[in-house]
Amino acid sequence: MNKKDPRIVVERFLSLLANGSKEDIVSCFTDDGSIDMAGTDDFPWKGLWKGRKELEEYFTVMPAALEMVDHQVTSFIVEDNRVAVTGTEHGRSRISGKDYHAKWAWIFYIHDDSIEFWDAYEDTQAFEHCGPWR
């Protein structure tokens, strides 16, 4: 079986974040895939989300809390099955209506042409200034 370049797997995922369905986004992960999202208790999307059911919940909770206005990738580094991506985003709280501008760094681990683990580091200070999130 031919393996996809891990960068292509992550690029597909990133493109779906902008305009894909929850089902399409979750299908980018392995069945036991997980997300570890940085954040404080104020952020409903923070924490470890593991398995299809929790991933579906994450991609329900996060879009309900924030609206993405602009999302830019600034770098890609690929090494074996790991992909590091950095970027910036402009978004707003769907509750307060306040905007934020943040930098992020995400590391993806790819297995069998799917995301096995997404380790996400966000500028949580930027989020704190536009809460509340619930």
Side-chain angles (χ1 to χ4, degrees):
M1 177 175 164
N2 290 340
K3 296 288 182 187
K4 290 181 187 171
D5 178 340
R7 179 182 175 128
I8 292 171
V9 173
V10 172
E11 285 176 336
R12 177 178 180 267
F13 170 74
L14 294 175
S15 72
L16 289 170
L17 282 180
N19 57 17
S21 70
K22 176 174 52 176
E23 293 77 19
D24 288 341
I25 294 169
V26 171
S27 76
C28 293
F29 288 82
T30 61
D31 288 340
D32 63 347
S34 60
I35 301 169
D36 192 1
M37 183 64 66
T40 66
D41 289 338
D42 295 341
F43 306 140
W45 63 89
K46 63 92 178 139
L48 182 64
W49 305 77
K50 186 171 175 85
R52 293 248 179 228
K53 183 177 178 183
E54 288 187 13
L55 293 175
E56 288 173 5
E57 182 181 352
Y58 172 85
F59 289 107
T60 300
V61 169
M62 190 271 300
L66 62 87
E67 173 189 1
M68 192 60 51
V69 176
D70 185 47
H71 192 263
Q72 300 294 319
V73 172
T74 56
S75 73
F76 258 94
I77 300 170
V78 179
E79 182 180 290
D80 299 322
N81 72 325
R82 293 177 308 266
V83 180
V85 186
T86 62
T88 60
E89 64 187 56
H90 169 205
R92 80 178 45 91
S93 167
R94 292 191 189 272
I95 305 302
S96 73
K98 296 177 189 173
D99 283 13
Y100 70 89
H101 296 271
K103 290 174 67 173
W104 49 264
W106 297 342
I107 301 169
F108 297 90
Y109 292 81
I110 308 303
H111 180 74
D112 289 337
D113 296 337
S114 297
I115 300 168
E116 185 172 52
F117 182 62
W118 173 19
D119 202 2
Y121 298 91
E122 306 271 348
D123 181 355
T124 55
Q125 188 174 12
F127 294 138
E128 287 176 359
H129 295 292
C130 66
W133 294 100
R134 299 177 200 266

